[in-house]
Amino acid sequence: MAEHRTMQRDALLDAARSLLSEGGTEALTFPALAERTGLARSSVYEYFRSRAAVVEELCAVDFPVWAAEVEAAMERAATPEDKIEAYVRQQLELVGDRRHRAVVAISASELDAGAREKIRAAHGGLVAMIVEALAELGHEQPRLAAVLLQGVVDAAVRRTELGAAEDPAKIADAAVSLALRGVTPRV
């Protein structure tokens, strides 16, 4: 019985990822989850009390995976500059993955305080990863610089998600350039 419930819960989370990826938070409804999984709508409520509870569970499951992939990319980098580039590029690469597209949709949505707090905590974990590299570069306030750097990444993610006129690789290049050199163009 416990194994069946775990499989059903995983199916609901997978359906939620698909719905978020395809249509954003507006698409994440209990009737849509029920339809995708073949469950009765009332059965969905046995697993999650609200849409926010689904989002919170996705955060708990998917953000650590996102963070681990970013961290692994940073660990392969040799210099602080390379770590910053890996931090930016890996997050932007993950945008195309359906599982991670759901994370992006979640981050952009209007959620209750509990879900927003889980997202803030997850983003805080991402930001903490880059503080050391920024300190090694001599930033007087590496934590502040890390928060601002994540703002650049978030803006690049949104730009990519919008299907902007720029190629996603150009958006990534611009975000890395801004992260490493500010607004001063390369000479």
Side-chain angles (χ1 to χ4, degrees), residues 30 44-54 56 112:
F30 277 30
V44 176
Y45 283 98
E46 291 178 27
Y47 293 90
F48 300 103
R49 68 189 183 294
S50 66
R51 189 170 77 132
V54 176
E56 287 180 35
D112 69 17

Side-chain angles (χ1 to χ4, degrees), residues 147-164:
V147 169
L148 296 173
L149 174 59
Q150 186 60 44
V152 169
V153 173
D154 292 344
V157 165
R158 282 191 303 279
R159 186 81 182 164
T160 302
E161 282 291 301
L162 286 172

Side-chain angles (χ1 to χ4, degrees), residues 126-156:
L126 277 175
V127 167
M129 284 184 213
I130 200 66
V131 171
E132 184 180 332
L134 291 164
E136 287 178 36
L137 287 176
H139 280 275
E140 290 180 25
Q141 296 182 333
R143 175 84 181 144
L144 174 60
V147 169
L148 296 173
L149 174 59
Q150 186 60 44
V152 169
V153 173
D154 292 344

